[in-house]
Amino acid sequence: MTSSPEPSTGASVRSVRSPTEAGHVDAIDGAVVEVRFPDGHETGLPAIGEILEIAREDRPLPLEVTLHAAPDRVRALAFGDTRGLAVGDPVTTTGSPLRVPVGAQVCGRIFDVLGHPLDGGPPLGEPRQSILRSSPELTRRRPARDVFQTGLKVIDLLAPLPRGGKTGLFGGAGVGKTVLMMELMQNTVHYHRGVSVFAGIGERSREARELWIEMEQSGVLPNVVLVFGQMGATPGERYRTGLAALTTAEWFRDDPGQDVLLFMDNVFRFVQAGNEVSGMFGRPPSRVGYQPTLAAEIAEMQERIASTERAAITSVQAVYVPADDITDPAVAELFNHLDGFLVLSREAASEGLYPAVDPLRSTSSLLRPDVVGERHARIAADARRVLAKYEELRDIIALMGTDELAPEDRQMAFRARRLRRFLTQPFSVTESFTGMPGAFVKLEETLDDTERIIDGGCDDLPEHALYMGGTLDDLLRRHHEREGEA
């Protein structure tokens, strides 16, 4: 099957000029370059989204046409440093939008939005595809109705990832978003034999290098594609990194028909980059200072993350929550496009309950009896009921202790604390720091063990015996071994 048609209806690019026809730089304002085409009245201006180029010693500087300012002038966004440019410098047209490398050549590689390798490897050539593409037609889309098992107990039980759907990973700074995404990437390659595409939007160089080293050491790098728009890159590069990674994922879906797990870290930085670009072009701010095109920009990217009869793109998107305010306009807008929500809790992280997923605020559209089955839906509901009751009792326990509770409430609180500790789990990607090997737990085992805890099968065990492990049998075995040593 061929890939979806180019270009996108939302950012249509028509080739009306030959690549040899040229204009010149008329004005420079930071990353915004105004280009004048003297014959623009007769031959027409380059289309919105088309790439222009300015020759330089090492490599051409690309500019993306963003605004038609006059019949003979366009304003373009530079994908690189504009220092050294001068008014009058010649500008050539390319006749096409930004194109990124795709195909088998990108597996195991790290590159930026322009297709330049960041891993010291050989240059990436053809095939390339435009990043401005249309989303699949509604008749070709396949709804997300299957569970993508992650091997992480708290996620598979209470917020199962939809295969072919979009899941948001919401959390403030320092609660474990990136580490959780790294673990999901590793599990995808090891247990699902799929391809992972990672979009690092506004990533710090340190984080990018750590991710690369971790993927290399764990042996999963050959099945991972990493596209970075680093924090020091221009707003235009960071703004287009998400679409560049998505274009790569679409090739795997459409050509070889491979399932893809698409990670984005961090979607909020995509919004921030769009806000910077909007301010550069003089657009007035909207709510809380965000760009007026916020909803359209998010929708343009999210609507392209789709599954077809050929294969599925399953997306996990880390979303920074400013000041832990889940009602922030950017965060609220993203909620409209997601099938699942993983909310990370700072309180859980401070208690050492990793992954720090909030079990009561996290959910999934799949958690219905007709999708996951009667048993899964029932056990998940029981687990939420037990944990919710404990949340109600926490203030009383903090003031008066558990001895003042009614017997049934005391029993519920004890089981909730054991269940919450059972849902913690060591990660493979943190083994070098914690000394604890990672655990992958199958969904059926998670359901069996959770039901056993809720029914009182572990009431005689101390809470610490259920902390940071895999299946309940593994935890019991570890507990008995420690008791024997003591």
Side-chain angles (χ1 to χ4, degrees), residues 124-432:
L124 295 165
E126 296 295 334
R128 289 188 175 229
Q129 286 184 347
S130 164
I131 67 168
L132 301 180
R133 300 158 54 81
S134 58
S135 58
E137 298 173 358
L138 287 175
T139 53
R140 292 181 55 219
R141 290 173 177 254
R142 185 176 63 191
R145 300 280 293 178
D146 301 323
V147 174
F148 183 92
Q149 290 195 34
T150 65
L152 303 179
K153 294 178 287 188
V154 66
I155 295 177
D156 289 344
L157 174 66
L158 298 173
L161 263 61
R163 178 179 177 272
K166 299 183 281 281
T167 300
L169 187 58
F170 296 87
V175 294
K177 296 186 299 298
T178 302
V179 173
L180 181 54
M181 293 187 74
M182 289 169 62
E183 183 72 7
L184 289 171
M185 287 177 67
Q186 179 149 298
N187 288 353
T188 298
V189 174
H190 280 309
Y191 299 100
H192 294 280
R193 303 288 184 252
V195 178
S196 293
V197 178
F198 181 87
I201 306 173
E203 283 284 287
R204 300 173 183 88
S205 299
R206 170 185 55 80
E207 293 174 337
R209 178 164 176 78
E210 287 175 358
L211 178 62
W212 178 27
I213 292 173
E214 182 61 45
M215 295 294 103
E216 193 172 37
Q217 290 177 345
S218 59
V220 302
L221 190 59
N223 294 298
V224 176
V225 182
L226 299 108
V227 185
F228 283 114
Q230 292 174 253
M231 188 170 283
T234 62
E237 291 175 280
R238 287 182 275 119
Y239 180 58
R240 290 305 194 194
T241 297
L243 290 184
L246 178 54
T247 302
T248 303
E250 288 171 332
W251 183 89
F252 286 106
R253 177 195 67 193
D254 295 334
D255 273 47
Q258 286 182 277
D259 282 357
V260 186
L261 194 57
L262 173 65
F263 293 93
M264 291 190 182
D265 186 11
N266 185 304
V267 179
F268 184 77
R269 295 197 189 114
F270 161 76
V271 172
Q272 284 183 313
N275 197 12
E276 292 178 55
V277 171
S278 179
M280 288 175 181
F281 285 91
R283 299 180 188 131
S286 183
R287 287 188 303 162
V288 199
Y290 285 111
Q291 61 269 41
T293 53
L294 172 66
E297 290 172 3
I298 291 176
E300 180 186 4
M301 182 169 67
Q302 297 293 339
E303 285 300 303
R304 280 178 55 183
I305 304 174
S307 301
T308 67
E309 68 283 354
R310 185 87 166 132
I313 296 180
T314 302
S315 172
V316 179
Q317 307 171 28
V319 183
Y320 168 70
V321 180
D324 292 338
D325 180 14
I326 208 75
T327 64
D328 183 86
V331 177
E333 188 61 42
L334 280 162
F335 269 111
N336 298 328
H337 298 275
L338 300 175
D339 302 297
F341 312 97
L342 293 174
V343 180
L344 300 188
S345 162
R346 190 171 301 281
E347 184 178 4
S350 66
E351 294 177 15
L353 301 175
Y354 290 104
V357 175
D358 189 322
L360 299 179
R361 298 169 71 192
S362 303
T363 187
S364 167
S365 62
L366 296 190
L367 204 57
R368 307 195 311 268
D370 59 319
V371 178
V372 298
E374 294 281 352
R375 181 169 182 257
H376 186 168
R378 174 179 56 79
I379 293 174
D382 289 344
R384 287 185 193 279
R385 177 176 53 81
V386 170
L387 293 170
K389 183 63 177 178
Y390 177 65
E391 287 299 315
E392 292 178 12
L393 298 171
R394 289 188 70 169
D395 289 342
I396 299 175
I397 294 172
L399 289 172
M400 306 174 63
T402 56
D403 293 338
E404 299 300 321
L405 297 176
E408 59 273 16
D409 287 346
R410 189 184 310 121
Q411 182 185 70
M412 188 81 77
F414 288 156
R415 290 178 182 174
R417 289 180 62 86
R418 284 163 176 76
L419 176 60
R420 189 67 188 91
R421 276 147 186 78
F422 167 73
L423 294 177
T424 60
Q425 194 166 341
F427 287 171
S428 298
V429 296
T430 60
E431 184 175 349
S432 58

Side-chain angles (χ1 to χ4, degrees), residues 63-132:
L63 314 169
E64 183 180 85
V65 177
T66 305
L67 179 69
H68 287 180
D72 62 344
R73 285 180 176 82
V74 301
R75 286 183 189 153
L77 186 63
F79 290 146
D81 195 348
T82 57
R83 285 177 294 186
L85 295 186
V87 172
D89 282 351
V91 180
T92 58
T93 61
T94 64
S96 70
L98 185 64
R99 300 169 72 242
V100 295
V102 296
Q105 62 171 335
V106 299
C107 289
R109 300 300 304 275
I110 308 171
F111 55 94
D112 62 17
V113 70
L114 302 175
H116 300 145
L118 301 177
D119 55 6
L124 295 165
E126 296 295 334
R128 289 188 175 229
Q129 286 184 347
S130 164
I131 67 168
L132 301 180

